[in-house]
Amino acid sequence: MDFLDKLNAQQRKAVTAGRGPVLVLAGPGSGKTRVLTQRVAWLIASEGVRPYQILAVTFTNKAAREMESRVQSLLGEDATQGMMLGTFHAICARLLRREAELLPVESNFVIFDADDQERIVKSIIKEFNLDDKRFRPASVHASISKAKNDLIGADDYPITNYRDEVVKRIFVEYQKRLVASNAVDFDDLLVYTADSSTCWWTNSKIRTSRNIHWSSISRPRIKIFFALAIPISVFLLARKYKHQAEKSKLKNSR
């Protein structure tokens, strides 16, 4: 294919690696977006993968639009039809709206932005008669957000000192108010998806009825999302490539 001519040897190897998991480690400015984009195009054009079987995840909406535009420029405007392409948060929101019966909120949930989230924390601090100089809303909210990114729920928030005890109380009330408002925050989008992934992929009835059929996932790797991205991504592909992994393990043990 003509577009492969613009790749160096390492990029070409990553793009044409065939189906299955591929880990690409590369530094800034090394062409990671180009590799991801052209791998998607390669899978469609050469490996027979249908667009609806591809999940492509980015960190910004701009990157998602750029990736879609690049694939279309390589294969035509219809090439991305049916493909799920977007940011982690956008894709998780779409999935969760389809699987709302697994959630404490309805499918028409709203997504509270940073100002909404901090406003809730601030009101809780006031109602609990806490000193907002000692327990600053932004700091408390940051602790809650960090816990969620570590997959720690409100009821399991660890307590080692008085501040932790207060943060846990606020965390519990914060989640109650989100649910009462039929709302989620940005962290919930990832946490709920990570929690629900187990249900989707251990229940064949749900998986089949919801038409979850990705065979290829393209996503960047970054440390801050690792605890959440791994459950989301691994559960989606683990079953498909389970036998390949077992065969590889046996081969390497000989």
Side-chain angles (χ1 to χ4, degrees):
M1 293 185 175
D2 293 342
F3 62 79
L4 295 179
D5 296 337
K6 299 179 181 180
L7 303 176
N8 61 37
Q10 290 80 11
Q11 291 172 334
R12 180 189 287 261
K13 183 177 180 181
V15 168
T16 61
R19 297 195 186 195
V22 177
L23 174 63
V24 179
L25 300 177
S30 56
K32 294 186 296 298
T33 301
R34 172 183 288 185
V35 167
L36 282 175
T37 301
Q38 299 201 13
R39 177 160 174 76
V40 168
W42 171 266
L43 288 170
I44 295 172
S46 298
E47 294 294 318
V49 177
R50 303 294 187 184
Y52 65 78
Q53 293 178 299
I54 295 176
L55 168 64
V57 188
T58 67
F59 284 104
T60 66
N61 290 315
K62 180 181 178 181
R65 290 192 296 269
E66 181 181 350
M67 182 177 288
E68 182 177 28
S69 176
R70 288 189 184 186
V71 174
Q72 289 176 344
S73 68
L74 293 172
L75 301 180
E77 291 188 4
D78 295 334
T80 57
Q81 188 171 356
M83 185 189 306
M84 187 170 282
L85 191 158
T87 64
F88 269 105
H89 294 96
I91 287 174
C92 287
R94 290 171 65 181
L95 290 173
L96 293 174
R97 292 192 192 283
R98 294 197 321 193
E99 306 300 329
E101 67 267 29
L102 302 175
L103 307 177
V105 292
E106 302 296 326
S107 61
N108 62 341
F109 61 80
V110 296
I111 303 171
F112 280 178
D113 62 21
D115 290 338
D116 295 325
Q117 297 163 33
E118 194 167 321
R119 193 177 300 114
I120 294 175
V121 172
K122 187 175 182 179
S123 68
I124 295 172
I125 290 173
K126 183 177 181 180
E127 291 178 25
F128 283 4
N129 294 316
L130 297 168
D131 183 356
D132 61 4
K133 297 293 190 294
R134 183 177 182 184
F135 300 100
R136 296 182 181 277
S139 176
V140 172
H141 178 258
S143 296
I144 292 173
S145 180
K146 183 180 184 304
K148 289 186 177 185
N149 276 275
D150 289 336
L151 296 178
I152 299 173
D155 293 334
D156 299 319
Y157 191 84
I159 297 176
T160 58
N161 52 48
Y162 176 65
R163 183 184 185 278
D164 291 339
E165 181 181 341
V166 172
V167 170
K168 180 173 183 175
R169 288 172 54 207
I170 296 172
F171 193 174
V172 170
E173 182 63 23
Y174 173 78
Q175 285 303 119
K176 287 180 180 178
R177 296 193 184 190
L178 285 178
V179 173
S181 300
N182 193 37
V184 299
D185 60 21
F186 291 119
D187 296 317
D188 285 334
L189 292 173
L190 303 177
V191 171
Y192 285 153
T193 303
D195 288 344
S196 300
S197 295
T198 308
C199 298
W200 297 339
W201 290 91
T202 55
N203 188 318
S204 59
K205 186 176 181 180
I206 291 178
R207 190 170 66 250
T208 302
S209 65
R210 298 303 184 270
N211 206 25
I212 300 173
H213 41 215
W214 295 311
S215 62
S216 300
I217 295 179
S218 296
R219 63 170 177 82
R221 179 177 180 268
I222 190 168
K223 187 176 181 181
I224 191 170
F225 280 117
F226 212 52
L228 292 163
I230 289 300
I232 293 169
S233 300
V234 169
F235 276 118
L236 294 176
L237 286 181
R239 286 183 171 269
K240 181 172 181 63
Y241 295 106
K242 177 182 178 183
H243 297 301
Q244 291 184 15
E246 289 176 346
K247 286 172 64 177
S248 176
K249 184 177 180 181
L250 286 172
K251 182 178 179 181
N252 292 334
S253 65
R254 291 174 182 172

